[in-house]
Amino acid sequence: MFVDRIKVFAQAGNGGRGSVSFRREKFVPKGGPDGGDGGRGGDVILRADRHVDNLTNFFYEPLIKAKNGGHGMGKKMSGRAAVDKIVKVPVGTVVWPAEEEKHPTSTVQHPTLSSEQLAIPVIDLARDGQEFVLCRGGAGGKGNVHFKSSRNRVPRQYTEGEEGEQGYFRLELRTIADAGLVGYPNAGKSTLLRKISAARPKVAAYPFTTLHPIVGVIEFPGYRRATVADIPGLIEGAHRGLGLGHEFLRHITRCRVLIFVVDVAGSEGRNPVEDLQNLRREIDLYDSTLSSRAWFAVANKMDLPGAKENLKALQERFPKLQILPTSAAKGEGIDALKQALATQITGPEVSVSAAI
């Protein structure tokens, strides 16, 4: 199961209660108050971890609760501070505030997001090891030793511990990759990723084989590397929620380079020129800032009939665009694709041929 968006409820620990106690020792008359303070409640902390790749754990446990602090004790002993609740999330997780939705016909309460809150994320955990305190634990209460005075020699006052912060949040994963493979279903994105990296996405002769983003790593000379994400197939109207790809459009927002993979042979009955135009339009309608990203096209399935003629039409329609002819099934044009990717990401000084 791949989960990249989930609602959770987080609750930090409450502070411990202060103690009411009086010193009772032999040969020490009127020892006075000695009630200790309560311990601090635990925080709820999110930690970005590169070894975690999705939010599946929260699907089975959407409640995140830290422990309460210990109560104060006599002899001025403070209660034990609670251990923080540290939760690991994937690198690239964005946290949004959510609010509780109450249904009049049901006692079950569900969190939801308002349109105003969607524009302001709480935190973007984009670095490995980055931590964020989602909810802070409550401070411990005061024991009666703090209420002693010349007029109140036998204080019985104390304070309860403060309540820990709590709230509903939406966790949303946005895959961090240097480049993203974007294209229609069955364009050959997964096969390309298999050829250029060690990733092994599922490949089959039917649409929407890839059900979630898969990231592959490409090694370049000089100990350099690049990450490439295979985004599930888009269709026209994806920005409005049509098809499967709209669920994963957010994953390309972090990519520095967009690689548009086109079935240049039109084996699915589509026109390659229209495919590329529609893909560019869907990306722009989803997020207009993506139009300014570096991009180039891959004319895949060059081994099929009609591919050469369609490639010429594609080049005539986009004369200034870098279009790389490839055949992922036969491994043709893969070296040129790697070189173009190395130039876009790591600079023109990298030569892919040295690593082959």
Side-chain angles (χ1 to χ4, degrees):
M1 177 185 295
F2 179 84
V3 179
D4 63 347
R5 181 187 290 178
I6 193 74
K7 292 178 183 177
V8 298
F9 176 77
Q11 181 178 14
N14 299 329
R17 181 181 63 247
S19 173
V20 175
S21 176
F22 296 93
R23 187 177 180 187
R24 294 289 187 269
E25 293 184 31
K26 191 175 182 179
F27 306 121
V28 185
K30 300 179 181 179
D34 66 350
D37 300 336
R40 178 178 173 277
D43 297 337
V44 175
I45 301 176
L46 300 181
R47 176 185 294 169
D49 190 331
R50 61 188 178 88
H51 298 292
V52 181
D53 59 0
N54 68 79
L55 302 170
T56 304
N57 290 340
F58 298 101
F59 180 83
Y60 300 102
E61 190 178 357
L63 302 179
I64 309 171
K65 291 187 177 182
K67 293 184 178 181
N68 299 330
H71 299 313
M73 296 171 286
K75 297 184 180 181
K76 299 181 182 179
M77 290 190 295
S78 298
R80 176 176 294 180
V83 177
D84 295 333
K85 178 72 172 181
I86 300 178
V87 182
K88 295 180 180 181
V89 297
V91 178
T93 299
V94 181
V95 183
W96 303 90
E99 59 187 16
E100 187 178 3
E101 180 183 3
K102 297 181 180 180
H103 299 273
T105 58
S106 175
T107 58
V108 181
Q109 298 173 347
H110 302 275
T112 186
L113 278 176
S114 65
S115 57
E116 293 81 9
Q117 291 174 322
L118 277 172
I120 307 176
V122 177
I123 187 66
D124 184 0
L125 300 171
R127 302 190 312 274
D128 182 36
Q130 182 180 356
E131 292 186 350
F132 176 74
V133 180
L134 188 63
C135 294
R136 294 189 178 277
K142 300 295 183 182
N144 68 335
V145 70
H146 294 281
F147 298 94
K148 181 179 66 174
S149 67
S150 59
R151 300 183 62 182
N152 186 13
R153 296 177 180 239
V154 189
R156 296 186 179 277
Q157 297 93 335
Y158 70 96
T159 60
E160 298 284 349
E162 296 180 358
E163 292 186 357
E165 297 177 345
Q166 63 181 27
Y168 287 93
F169 301 90
R170 183 190 293 273
L171 306 183
E172 181 180 277
L173 174 60
R174 297 185 178 182
T175 302
I176 295 180
D178 296 309
L181 297 174
V182 184
Y184 275 81
N186 276 5
K189 301 183 299 299
S190 297
T191 306
L192 276 176
L193 188 62
R194 279 174 165 261
K195 294 294 184 179
I196 63 179
S197 72
R200 289 296 176 263
K202 183 179 179 180
V203 175
Y206 54 83
F208 302 115
T209 308
T210 304
L211 299 178
H212 57 82
I214 298 176
V215 179
V217 179
I218 305 176
E219 299 288 346
F220 296 125
Y223 300 101
R224 301 186 184 185
R225 60 173 53 185
T227 52
V228 181
D230 176 13
I231 309 300
L234 305 181
I235 64 173
E236 189 173 358
H239 71 282
R240 293 185 282 107
L242 298 181
L244 178 64
H246 74 282
E247 291 289 342
F248 307 105
L249 276 170
R250 77 181 76 92
H251 292 280
I252 68 174
T253 57
R254 299 185 187 273
C255 297
R256 295 162 50 191
V257 181
L258 299 180
I259 306 173
F260 290 84
V261 182
V262 180
D263 176 6
V264 74
S267 58
E268 299 293 322
R270 296 189 304 269
N271 186 300
V273 176
E274 294 180 357
D275 280 1
L276 185 54
Q277 291 174 334
N278 292 336
L279 289 171
R280 290 290 296 172
R281 183 170 60 253
E282 291 299 323
I283 295 298
D284 182 69
L285 290 173
Y286 177 75
D287 187 348
S288 58
T289 62
L290 294 176
S291 299
S292 60
R293 302 283 173 89
W295 68 289
F296 61 90
V298 172
N300 196 29
K301 301 188 179 181
M302 286 296 299
D303 56 308
L304 298 182
K308 294 182 179 179
E309 294 76 6
N310 291 335
L311 177 61
K312 292 181 180 179
L314 198 62
Q315 292 171 336
E316 292 176 358
R317 176 60 183 83
F318 300 94
K320 297 182 180 180
L321 175 64
Q322 182 182 16
I323 303 176
L324 302 176
T326 64
S327 173
K330 295 188 175 182
E332 299 173 356
I334 301 302
D335 295 346
L337 174 58
K338 286 185 176 181
Q339 185 63 63
L341 191 58
T343 303
Q344 290 280 1
I345 296 176
T346 62
E349 69 277 4
V350 176
S351 176
V352 176
S353 60
I356 300 174

